[in-house]
Amino acid sequence: MKRIILDCDPGHDDMIAIMLATSSPEIELLGITTVAGNQTGEKTFKNALRILTLIGEDTPVSRGFDKPMVRELTVAPRIHGVSGLDGANLPEATVKDTGKHATDFIIETLLASDEPVTLVPTGPLTNVAFSLLKKPSIKEKIEEIVLMGGAIYDSNITPASEFNIYVDPEAASIVFNSGIPITMVGLDVTNKAVFTFEDIEKIGKMGGHVSSVVAPLLEFFAKANLEIFGIEGAPLHDPLTVAYLIDRDVLETRSLRVDIETMGEYTSGRTVVDVYGVTGKEANASVATNVNVEKFKTMIFDALERLDKR
Ligand code: BDR
Ligand code: CA
């Protein structure tokens, strides 16, 4: 069983990551920490509580930073709407949060744990970087970091950069230089993990209390992705991290050097991936290069089925 903390900014695809993590027997979700990203810190935090209310979970939720380490916050309303989860009405939250700051939750949980814990960040890396700065000794308790962010070749928020890394590149640089084993699940693979409009219709037809909320949410997300990127459906970026922890066969990876551009006039937030080893620097990440889309989709459908039965 993989023990994880999910650090997220829900977010349509973050929501599916939460659902996959909470409903999979292979995963023990120790807590959810939220960060500003797809929407403001207040909205992503409330969204996490509302998602847990929908699926009947009481996973500890801790709110983190409202802005990146150095820069002003960039949010993504064109993709995720004004609420961060536009497309359907989630129930008002009845579950409570821990009252702790995300970084305190991460640090305390890691220090108290006898076994190593995996961090799964699916938003900007602000909370994770601050936790590492505040208590460097937590490194010993982190088995690995499996994050959604960056890309070898692709981009989505600028011509050079992926959203999560672009929002807080200083934080990303701290994480990628931490020496902790990192798997980078980037757009090169996540943009292939597309739930087509047909798939979304199938989710709608499942007819359960969870799937019937998920279908219109994904439809909103798919329409935005079609309009902006020409992608024919909903690319489920974030849950690929959790899927990989459930079954490593979901992704192919390569051990590569990744540096974060923090200064570029046009390229800030780019993950500079040394595919040909030209820098001579040692690899610091396992970078996803291919995805088994069918295996991934089956996992998501199965998770929704389990949640509907609750
Ligand atoms: C990432 O950015 C966010 O919009 C998504 O939730 C995902 O984490 C994709 O670039
Ligand atoms: Ca996200």
Side-chain angles (χ1 to χ4, degrees):
M1 173 118 71
K2 269 278 182 190
R3 305 170 77 237
I4 74 167
I5 296 175
L6 186 58
D7 183 63
C8 56
D9 61 337
H12 296 68
D13 51 333
D14 301 82
M15 175 185 74
I16 306 295
I18 293 174
M19 290 180 168
L20 185 60
T22 48
S23 66
S24 298
E26 299 86 350
I27 301 287
E28 188 186 346
L29 183 58
L30 303 176
I32 292 173
T33 50
T34 61
V35 66
N38 285 326
Q39 263 301 345
T40 62
E42 187 173 358
K43 289 181 184 176
T44 57
F45 167 66
K46 285 205 175 128
N47 286 344
L49 296 174
R50 294 176 80 182
I51 292 163
L52 291 179
T53 303
L54 171 73
I55 61 179
E57 285 282 342
D58 58 359
T59 312
V61 178
S62 309
R63 178 173 170 175
F65 285 101
D66 287 346
K67 74 175 283 299
M69 295 186 95
V70 179
R71 305 176 186 225
E72 289 310 311
L73 176 66
T74 302
V75 293
R78 283 182 77 201
I79 300 283
H80 297 277
V82 283
S83 70
L85 275 180
D86 276 18
N89 277 332
L90 284 160
E92 278 313 315
T94 54
V95 295
K96 294 269 171 284
D97 68 296
T98 62
K100 287 181 188 170
H101 192 277
T103 53
D104 292 327
F105 178 84
I106 291 171
I107 291 167
E108 284 170 24
T109 306
L110 289 175
L111 292 182
S113 176
D114 293 333
E115 291 163 47
V117 174
T118 295
L119 299 186
V120 185
T122 62
L125 288 160
T126 323
N127 289 337
V128 177
F130 260 102
S131 302
L132 290 170
L133 288 181
K134 195 169 169 190
K135 198 79 181 164
S137 61
I138 59 171
K139 274 186 205 172
E140 288 147 37
K141 298 292 184 104
I142 303 174
E143 184 169 10
E144 57 178 331
I145 296 177
V146 178
L147 63 91
M148 191 283 136
I152 305 176
Y153 302 110
D154 214 341
S155 60
N156 60 5
I157 184 75
T158 71
S161 309
E162 181 280 331
F163 181 79
N164 290 339
I165 306 296
Y166 173 82
V167 171
D168 200 341
E170 285 75 19
S173 181
I174 289 169
V175 172
F176 275 85
N177 285 301
S178 66
I180 299 165
I182 291 175
T183 298
M184 176 179 119
V185 184
L187 292 175
D188 312 284
V189 290
T190 66
N191 268 339
K192 291 183 192 154
V194 173
F195 271 61
T196 62
F197 286 96
E198 211 182 328
D199 293 326
I200 297 170
E201 210 179 307
K202 266 193 220 157
I203 293 175
K205 286 191 179 138
M206 288 168 74
H209 72 292
V210 174
S211 51
S212 57
V213 175
V214 168
L217 274 161
L218 288 188
E219 203 180 321
F220 177 95
F221 190 54
K223 281 183 180 156
N225 273 281
L226 179 61
E227 197 185 307
I228 299 167
F229 304 116
I231 297 172
E232 303 265 349
L236 292 190
H237 310 283
D238 294 339
L240 260 185
T241 53
V242 180
Y244 177 66
L245 289 170
I246 294 170
D247 183 348
R248 300 263 162 173
D249 288 345
V250 170
L251 296 176
E252 282 170 31
T253 59
R254 278 185 68 191
S255 198
L256 294 167
R257 177 76 205 179
V258 181
D259 286 302
I260 309 297
E261 179 56 84
T262 55
M263 315 240 277
E265 185 178 355
Y266 303 110
T267 55
S268 186
R270 173 137 198 107
T271 44
V272 180
V273 184
D274 187 6
V275 178
Y276 300 110
V278 292
T279 63
K281 287 186 186 171
E282 213 178 301
N284 61 344
S286 176
V287 179
T289 52
N290 211 349
V291 49
N292 184 331
V293 179
E294 282 320 304
K295 207 181 250 284
F296 173 63
K297 281 192 185 180
T298 305
M299 275 186 193
I300 302 294
F301 273 105
D302 289 351
L304 291 175
E305 211 170 283
R306 285 195 295 271
L307 292 171
D308 273 345
K309 282 192 189 133
R310 283 184 176 181

